[in-house]
Amino acid sequence: MSRAEVKLDLSRIVFIGRTFEEYMLMFNLSKEELKGRKVLDCPAGACSFTAIANQQGADVTATDIAYYHPFEQLAEKGFEDIEHAMLNMEKAQKNYKWDYFKSVEGLRNHRIQALIDCANDMTKSPNRYVPAVLPALPFEDKEFDLTLSAHFLFMYADRLDYDFHLQSIQELMRVTKEEIRIFPLIDLSCNRYEHLDKFVDFIQSQGYITEEIKVGYEFQKGANSMLRIKKV
């Protein structure tokens, strides 16, 4: 499916991302774990993980619904989205922990850096940024050693039902050879995803082992755990 065949309303897409450093903390990763591995970031948004990890010896592909749009438009939209998000953040600071960012200005700087790194890499290596819409990905079976999925599954439980989550994890398992990590395990109301135990039971029934791991990153209150899924 080409970009021309997909008509999405860019105004409905929020193009904001996390930095490489945030990813390393969110997913409890070391640089040694990344070297030489094929990694998928799904959905990747405006995160800088792909750009920086590829510089450090990994082979990372980013995929997101946003990539159906021209990259120049996305970068422009990203700067607008950051400013809009920061205005809302000023009003909702009490819902977050500020140990990492220290202030709204610190958060803004991180989001801008992620966007700049992502936009620059999109220009230099556009083939790394693959448009796709879960629960269907345009990749081969077991194409990636490691898949990372941040701030999507579980978070939007109010609009993405259990069947969508089930189909999405099946697709992530299809394209992943060794391991999947999902962060965080809560919804936008800071509550643990209500179907998480049922979700985990299904994954284990497919021959995987799972582990909930506390990580050294918490911005949204309660968002400090990831789900690690490995093939037995």
Side-chain angles (χ1 to χ4, degrees), residues 58 68 91 93-94 127 157 194 197 214:
Y68 283 111
K91 305 169 192 168
Q93 289 189 58
K94 65 181 185 300
N127 58 306
E194 62 176 330
D197 293 336
K214 280 278 177 71

Side-chain angles (χ1 to χ4, degrees), residues 51 115-125 129:
L115 177 61
I116 290 171
D117 289 340
C118 176
N120 288 342
D121 198 52
M122 283 175 159
T123 301
K124 288 187 293 188
S125 305
Y129 297 85

Side-chain angles (χ1 to χ4, degrees), residues 51-143:
I52 307 302
N54 275 299
Q55 294 172 12
Q56 303 198 4
D59 179 6
V60 186
T61 297
T63 188
D64 198 287
I65 190 173
Y67 303 155
Y68 283 111
H69 293 282
F71 294 158
E72 302 78 20
Q73 280 188 324
L74 284 176
E76 185 179 330
K77 175 98 172 28
F79 286 110
E80 294 171 1
D81 288 343
I82 289 170
E83 292 313 310
H84 179 70
M86 292 310 108
L87 288 174
N88 291 331
M89 191 62 66
E90 292 281 3
K91 305 169 192 168
Q93 289 189 58
K94 65 181 185 300
N95 297 328
Y96 298 87
K97 293 186 70 173
W98 294 93
D99 301 350
Y100 186 82
F101 298 110
K102 308 303 182 189
S103 66
V104 172
E105 187 59 29
L107 174 64
R108 175 188 280 107
N109 291 339
H110 276 77
R111 295 290 171 263
I112 289 173
Q113 188 61 57
L115 177 61
I116 290 171
D117 289 340
C118 176
N120 288 342
D121 198 52
M122 283 175 159
T123 301
K124 288 187 293 188
S125 305
N127 58 306
R128 290 178 183 162
Y129 297 85
V130 179
V133 185
L134 276 171
L137 298 174
F139 305 116
E140 300 296 324
D141 293 355
K142 298 180 172 57
E143 185 170 338

Side-chain angles (χ1 to χ4, degrees), residues 127-191:
N127 58 306
R128 290 178 183 162
Y129 297 85
V130 179
V133 185
L134 276 171
L137 298 174
F139 305 116
E140 300 296 324
D141 293 355
K142 298 180 172 57
E143 185 170 338
F144 302 96
D145 301 312
L146 168 67
T147 292
L148 307 175
S149 186
H151 298 98
F152 181 64
L153 294 176
F154 311 148
M155 290 217 79
Y156 299 99
D158 60 330
R159 65 201 82 166
L160 300 173
D161 63 17
Y162 179 73
D163 285 341
F164 174 87
H165 280 76
L166 211 58
Q167 291 168 29
S168 294
I169 193 61
Q170 286 177 299
E171 185 70 344
L172 294 180
M173 291 191 292
R174 180 186 69 77
V175 302
T176 309
K177 183 163 55 176
E178 297 172 4
E179 183 181 352
I180 300 166
R181 299 187 189 188
I182 302 172
F183 175 91
L185 307 184
I186 64 171
D187 60 24
L188 289 171
S189 299
C190 301
N191 297 314

